[in-house]
Amino acid sequence: MANADPGDRVTLKDVARRAGVHPGTASRALNAETRELVNGETAERVLAAAEELGYRPNPIARGLKTSRSYTVGVLIPDLTNPLFPPIVRGIQDRLEEAAYTPLIVNTDNDPDRERADIEAMRARQVDGLITATARRDQGLPAGLERLSLPVVLVNRRLEDGARPSVVADDRKGIGLAVEHLLSLGHRRIAHLAGPQELSTGHLRHDGFIEAMRAAGIDPDPELVLVGTAFIESEGERLCNELLDRELEVTAIVAGNDLMAVGCYDVFVERGIDCPGEISVVGYNDMPFVGWFSPPLTTVHLPHYEIGARAAGLLLDQLRDPEIEPAQVLLEPELVVRGSTAAPLARDGQPA
Amino acid sequence: MANADPGDRVTLKDVARRAGVHPGTASRALNAETRELVNGETAERVLAAAEELGYRPNPIARGLKTSRSYTVGVLIPDLTNPLFPPIVRGIQDRLEEAAYTPLIVNTDNDPDRERADIEAMRARQVDGLITATARRDQGLPAGLERLSLPVVLVNRRLEDGARPSVVADDRKGIGLAVEHLLSLGHRRIAHLAGPQELSTGHLRHDGFIEAMRAAGIDPDPELVLVGTAFIESEGERLCNELLDRELEVTAIVAGNDLMAVGCYDVFVERGIDCPGEISVVGYNDMPFVGWFSPPLTTVHLPHYEIGARAAGLLLDQLRDPEIEPAQVLLEPELVVRGSTAAPLARDGQPA
DNA sequence: CTCGATCCTGCAAACGATTGCGAGGCCGAC
DNA sequence: GTCGGCCTCGCAATCGTTTGCAGGATCGAG
């Protein structure tokens, strides 16, 4: 454990010299897979020498020879979106265990940037890619289809399952929200959907319809509105539009938490009591939504685990390129807080 | 612009062969600084060949020789802390402009991990380091002092100013908060301070005392409590302790937003009206605190700019290692929301 | 005692780029 | 006509590892 001075780099040659062996031998002794090729005693001597000198293999040199960079590209839309930090953290932690380093870029959902980023990652010789950008118009981000680079998809899944992916079960998640509202007694439930080009927006929309039908309710088309982005202002716009229709509606399933917040805006503006007059449930369980007024009932996704699993799948693929691409589906969880309650009867009393 | 098939990597040798020159010559032609060493016509031929083949220099091989990686290490405590994503995003964006890539690691404020991370970054040949870990017990993260690696400090500053740094003016920020409360009529103001080992905790504590004195008020020592971490539960604990003392107190300056939230907990529990009976101001302006109940008055820090400036300083230093280490001080800004109001007079009416 | 097999280890060639050095060609000056 | 200088370029070493190959030592079997 006595690290020598880390002043200047200690190279494999130094270790070899100290152990009295050839660098080649030292290399074999240090790498677990080739260690069996060298005498146990010698190996120990090398390991000891490495330890004493505080030797760290130079991944650059190693990568040059093995044409592996021990580096993984991570494409996300925007780190600033509270959805992604836990995912990224999961990726980082899992990758770190395997001595891989993630290179993280923000695409801002711009296809051009996405292309450029992928090109840049390729130039940097990444060994694989994790992409959490969720447009579903094309199967894969442009420039990846013909690329024989291990890729794992987050929040998106290929129809043919040709690439490993990890997604949360949005259908089921929305189902949880709907069932919760139904069990409270709601029947006139609206859905403010996210953009349908995004797989998440699409799945949640479908999930909503499905869950309503499963309960024997034919969802009123007037009660489902589709937005152009998963943002607060869209939630606000849609909510206003919904209320302007002056239909009976006692609960709203928002496409995500931000859109739910947009509803809050409208309620404040119009003096509507939530959850007294209308209930809202969000999606994602972003940090701090429990502190909102009212605390937001929402669907929690295992973000960290999503990231960790994605990284795990990529590592699997790196170890064995022929491996069957796994499709991981993670379970969402309903978090009941203060934005949902039983609907009022006509007379203003709880039904 | 006609990229050949990107199927397999094209190397410098390929380019050289196509241009009918030696790889060494091709290398010189490709690099802007050495281009003058080769005949203009030849250079053009090489450039053309490179373009046609879609040549991308292999940064790994280049790095091996030049021991430059065009890579920068970024040390943060925890990406999951909402403070950091905007900072990181600022770093990423600024670095990207200069074709540098950040390697981001989470230290979890663990000195051992910090050491290991720095060691790992060194092994990866990072050209520089940005560290946003803010313990102030030692001057620099362990293992950096003697290292001749360009470093810029975020949220921390060396006494001797030997390294460039960018920090927000915490003294002034707290001053803003105090002045705001004073102007509302508060006199009995408490401070729930963060850990004093962190420079931010320390500076804000000092800033509080200073600002009070500047207003001619000698701060009651009973009204300033010091916590062990910048977290909600500490805010809660401290707030309880404060109220248990049964002193007159009409406002609280929390060490950060999370601690302010801890106060909210206590208020709910004890049935205290905020801001009616007591005002609270936070620090950092985390995302969504405007949605809390009541919306949190807090001090906003230019997080994105902090990151961007830090990256800028590092780039400066990489371009010219002899450059004077700049010390950047950024301005905080008070954001008044709903958690502060004029204190009540004894009779329950606004004073 | 000899011979082949088995281990272990050293040697040297890669990987893909950069770069000091020197060789050759060309030109102008004397 | 010769020589010096400059421009351009090729040669080869190098960065730190990995890895195929082969040689030397050791050992057991015949």
Side-chain angles (χ1 to χ4, degrees), chain B residues 11-12 27 55 58 62 65:
Chain B
T11 118
L12 183 61
S27 168
Y55 169 69
N58 182 333
R62 186 213 299 268
K65 178 63 179 174

Side-chain angles (χ1 to χ4, degrees), chain B residues 68-148:
Chain B
R68 277 207 138 199
S69 61
Y70 287 90
T71 249
V72 166
V74 177
L75 272 66
I76 56 172
D78 177 17
L79 188 61
T80 278
N81 181 330
L83 219 56
F84 293 109
I87 296 182
V88 171
R89 187 70 212 264
I91 294 176
Q92 289 176 322
D93 288 354
R94 184 75 188 76
L95 244 34
E96 187 178 323
E97 295 169 11
Y100 275 79
T101 300
L103 304 183
I104 302 157
V105 297
N106 307 94
T107 68
D108 283 324
N109 270 323
D110 174 352
D112 290 338
R113 273 193 74 165
E114 202 168 299
R115 279 188 71 95
D117 285 335
I118 291 178
E119 199 30 59
M121 317 248 74
R122 242 164 63 74
R124 282 209 179 262
Q125 307 267 75
V126 295
D127 297 337
L129 234 43
I130 297 178
T131 165
T133 59
R135 266 173 295 102
R136 72 185 189 102
D137 38 1
Q138 66 269 33
L140 270 175
L144 268 189
E145 316 85 358
R146 313 185 333 185
L147 211 57
S148 67

Side-chain angles (χ1 to χ4, degrees), chain B residues 286-301:
Chain B
M286 293 189 321
F288 308 116
V289 294
W291 291 106
F292 289 2
S293 166
L296 185 63
T297 294
T298 186
V299 177
H300 178 84
L301 265 33

